Amino acid sequence: PLDAVPEHGEVAALGGEEQSAPLGAANQVMDLLAKAGAADPLAFVRPSLAPGRALVGHSLGRLFSTSVVDRPEVGVRIAMAGFAQPDGTASWLVLAGDHDGIAYAPDLAQRFATQPAPSRLGVVHGAGHLAFSDLCKVGADKGGSIAVAKAYGVTVPPILEQLAMDGCRPTDAAFSATAPVIRAITAGVLEEKLRCDPQATRAISSLAGPALT
């Protein structure tokens, strides 16, 4: 798995230094929101928003969460299908799928056990890499996005084909089975941490069962 191999070139491929664009995009967005004022694109919902903010990243996008430092307004960081290193500065949720051939490591629970609180790890049974998105729905009636690309003569590198199918295979749990679990635990963490809702904590605990570790 890519995440199990140190220094495999993600940062360099995305712009060099960890804080450079595009890895610095999360900080830039946070700054724009803080300075928006009258031009605030979220003005119409601002009164109903909690003061805290959450950063959510899937796969390579988890780097956005880890690239944002010294931002006290970030109350929650969520990394999906990609291991992150919680640092104790915010509430963390790391979600993984045990069918993920791209980023899941069998020792994930042991690695996470030493991470500082408040941190949570959820492993969704049967979920592949793309279970945390709706990409498996793209071209599903035509065999999937890769089949569509090939039908139009696009050459698809093997590594891209593996990535695009991980989570969409017949052996993977269906999106309809994993999506409710993923939505429930992420919503629960957001409600708990951004709205200080103790009922959300109890709801998260109730999710432990056949679909989630």
Side-chain angles (χ1 to χ4, degrees):
L2 290 179
D3 288 344
V5 181
E7 299 183 8
H8 56 270
E10 284 180 347
V11 172
L14 289 179
E17 298 298 327
E18 188 173 61
Q19 292 300 317
S20 68
L23 290 179
N27 268 313
Q28 295 171 23
V29 170
M30 302 288 283
D31 289 338
L32 286 173
L33 288 175
K35 299 175 182 177
D40 185 357
L42 299 178
F44 68 104
V45 294
R46 183 68 66 190
S48 64
L49 293 180
R53 298 190 177 106
L55 291 175
V56 182
H58 171 254
S59 188
L60 198 61
R62 84 196 190 286
L63 291 176
F64 288 121
S65 297
T66 57
S67 69
V68 175
V69 296
D70 300 324
R71 304 300 300 233
E73 70 269 38
V74 178
V76 184
R77 302 183 191 194
I78 300 177
M80 299 181 178
F83 187 69
Q85 297 287 347
D87 54 12
T89 62
S91 174
W92 272 94
L93 170 63
V94 174
L95 281 177
D98 61 2
H99 275 207
D100 187 342
I102 305 297
Y104 180 70
D107 65 344
L108 186 59
Q110 289 80 5
R111 291 164 59 191
F112 197 84
T114 59
Q115 300 304 318
S119 302
R120 286 188 175 96
L121 168 66
V123 179
V124 182
H125 297 312
H129 195 69
L130 296 183
F132 303 91
S133 72
D134 60 359
L135 292 177
C136 291
K137 292 183 175 182
V138 177
D141 60 333
K142 298 179 176 62
S145 58
I146 294 299
V148 172
K150 288 182 175 180
Y152 281 90
V154 177
T155 301
V156 182
I159 189 171
L160 181 58
E161 184 167 0
Q162 178 189 358
L163 175 61
M165 294 303 296
D166 198 300
C168 308
R169 302 159 297 199
T171 53
D172 297 320
F175 180 79
S176 59
T178 58
V181 175
I182 295 168
R183 283 197 298 264
I185 192 169
T186 51
V189 169
L190 293 171
E191 290 285 341
E192 176 192 53
K193 297 303 178 182
L194 298 186
R195 296 190 179 277
C196 302
D197 183 356
Q199 292 184 357
T201 305
R202 292 191 289 271
I204 295 168
S205 299
S206 71
L207 286 171
L212 183 73
T213 298

